[in-house]
Amino acid sequence: MLLSLTLHQFALIAEHELSMAEGFNVITGETGAGKSLLLDALSLCIGERADSAMVRHGAAHADIYAQFDVTDNTLVADWFTEHERSLDEPEVLIRRQLSNNGRSKAWLNGTPVSLAELKSLGALLVNIHSQHAQQALLKPQFVVQWLDEMAKLTPLAAQTASSYQHYQQLKRQADEIASREAQRQDRIQLLQNQLADIAPLLAVDYHDVEAEHEELSNIEALMTEASHGLHLLDNDSDEPDVMTLLGQAIKLCDHQIGVSQTFGQASEQLHLAQQQITEVTALLTDYAEQQLPDPERLQTLDSLISLGHRLSRKHNLPAKDLISEANVWQQQLEQLENEPSSDVLAAQIEDAWQAYLQLATKLNDSRSKAAPVISEQLVQQLQPLALPNARCEFVFTKRTSSNLYNAQGCYDIDLLFSANVGMPMQPLHKIASGGELSRMALVMQVLQATSSDNNAAKPMLVFDEVDVGISGGTAQVVGELLRSLGQTQQLLAITHQAQVAAQAHQHIMVQKHHNEQTQSELIILTKDAQVNELARMSGGVTITDVTRDHARSLLTGIK
């Protein structure tokens, strides 16, 4: 329930805090006074987009505060839990700030909140019914959605729509695969050939292959160099070698160890060098005396190197990068090979179609069962609204081809209506007058609002221009209907009809003052002030004792 709405520098309102009553609240005022400003402010607090034009002229920004009582509202409590927010008190305070540069901010209980979050929470707090609801009646989709909401079939309808969309998605996938099937097979063959071509390189380390090939291609020259190096290190001839000279140096240092520590350190390092040269000598000896390699091994290496060069030229890549490119080819091949075949997809499409048909049939059966009861409710609510002979009926027409089935099901659903005795019922959009459409829209909105669980916390209902197309006794009945609805939930409505306004639990008047800067004022009317406003609404500019008496009569006997 909305407890209060505070406006600061918002449009024509400089500063005002408005307390809301529990039941039926009504807003009246002369044309252009700014009656819709309250609805605009409330819409901003539940996540609607802002307009910098809403900031009062000369002000840097506008602020709107909406305070709600959410006691025992489990849906709101669940929302706070789902969004990991704390709800310590049974009240929710929403603040929306608009800047004259077009930017806006929002806070929820003092904490910043996104517009998406605010909109999802706002749907639980306020339900705004537009003055253009009667135009929506002319759209068949609206009638179907309304029937589903009244019959509590919205979850089944959503499941049916999702099933149909899944079927359509599979069909599109099948069409895409069919259109590129030839290219797909060609690509698979190309990738398979490329991978088969490069397979020998994938089994080896190409860097090691290059190194081994380089060595074996020059093995005889390398063996000769090893022999020459060995001769320099250690030989049996009269030519000096490293080992001989090193031995002499060691002996020299050993003789002087007792004289200087330096010679001792030098001797120690020379012995280490002698050991390392001995190891090098053994390596060079083994290398120089090895057998020549198997010619077949060199041929194998030649083949691998030639393959690397050929593929490098073919794919315009260094041979060392071919391996990573082959991994990409393998991934592409697996993706193409794992795409469902036409046969597999055909089976999936048939399964999806049967699942959709099963849901659509169940949905239609449920709609058909609920439709007579709901149409009777419509008639019962319409007849007191100066439509004593009103008749309504939902007609289900199966579509002529399965190709015409859609997310809403297999049937077209029309709401037929007749307001006159002896006249056949026809689709609403063909025969209903503007006034009849307006009353039908109002009744449908009221029924929709009251169809929810009576034990659940209900959002505040807002009706914009609720009296479009009605007057006189019909307006009286509309007012009584809204007052009755206000016994169970909070309502806010803009009206031009005194008969409707008189039924309100709280009457709010918007009045415009033309001072240095035009300003709108919100006034809660009681007693004589309310009588004067109802008299103005009934009798025009000049208020007489007669119009005042008529206004008092509207207030007499209200329960």
Side-chain angles (χ1 to χ4, degrees), residues 46 85 127 298 301 331-332 425 432 434 557:
I46 59 172
R85 290 177 175 268
N127 188 350
L298 185 58
L301 294 175
Q331 292 174 2
Q332 292 177 353
M425 288 190 291

Side-chain angles (χ1 to χ4, degrees), residues 64-85:
I64 307 102
Y65 299 82
Q67 185 178 14
F68 293 87
D69 182 354
V70 293
T71 303
D72 298 328
N73 193 325
T74 56
L75 293 177
V76 170
D78 291 343
W79 185 94
F80 271 79
T81 300
E82 180 183 346
H83 290 80
E84 299 180 348
R85 290 177 175 268

Side-chain angles (χ1 to χ4, degrees), residues 385-441:
L385 301 180
L387 293 171
N389 300 309
R391 290 177 293 144
C392 295
E393 181 183 356
F394 289 96
V395 174
F396 294 74
T397 306
K398 190 165 186 177
R399 295 188 174 96
T400 56
S401 169
S402 60
N403 291 330
L404 300 177
Y405 294 178
N406 61 24
Q408 286 192 334
C410 312
Y411 285 77
D412 289 318
I413 304 176
D414 287 310
L415 177 58
L416 304 188
F417 172 78
S418 175
N420 303 302
V421 176
M423 298 301 293
M425 288 190 291
Q426 295 188 44
L428 191 64
H429 65 275
K430 290 186 177 180
I431 61 170
S433 65
E436 290 166 348
L437 279 175
S438 175
R439 279 170 276 182
M440 177 69 79

Side-chain angles (χ1 to χ4, degrees), residues 183-199:
Q183 295 89 334
R184 173 175 169 268
Q185 292 299 329
D186 289 344
R187 181 60 178 168
I188 287 175
Q189 186 62 53
L190 174 63
L191 290 171
Q192 288 175 336
N193 291 340
Q194 288 179 169
L195 287 169
D197 206 10
I198 202 174

Side-chain angles (χ1 to χ4, degrees), residues 114-190:
S114 68
L115 284 190
E117 287 180 307
L118 199 57
K119 200 160 191 174
S120 65
L121 175 62
L124 304 176
L125 298 171
V126 180
N127 188 350
I128 297 180
H129 295 272
S130 168
Q131 59 177 305
H132 303 296
Q134 56 266 40
Q135 276 74 42
L137 284 177
L138 305 181
K139 302 176 181 179
Q141 184 178 1
F142 174 84
V143 171
V144 176
Q145 291 174 345
W146 183 83
L147 174 61
D148 287 339
E149 289 187 19
M150 287 294 298
K152 296 181 172 53
L153 295 174
T154 301
L156 179 57
Q159 191 178 1
T160 303
S162 177
S163 178
Y164 181 79
Q165 290 162 2
H166 176 60
Y167 162 71
Q168 290 290 337
Q169 182 181 8
L170 288 175
K171 281 190 63 179
R172 287 193 296 270
Q173 186 179 0
D175 291 342
E176 290 172 1
I177 289 178
S179 66
R180 64 172 191 262
E181 182 64 25
Q183 295 89 334
R184 173 175 169 268
Q185 292 299 329
D186 289 344
R187 181 60 178 168
I188 287 175
Q189 186 62 53
L190 174 63

Side-chain angles (χ1 to χ4, degrees), residues 82-98:
E82 180 183 346
H83 290 80
E84 299 180 348
R85 290 177 175 268
S86 59
L87 184 61
D88 301 324
E89 300 292 336
E91 291 185 0
V92 168
L93 178 63
I94 297 173
R95 177 189 176 192
R96 188 79 185 273
Q97 185 179 84
L98 320 179

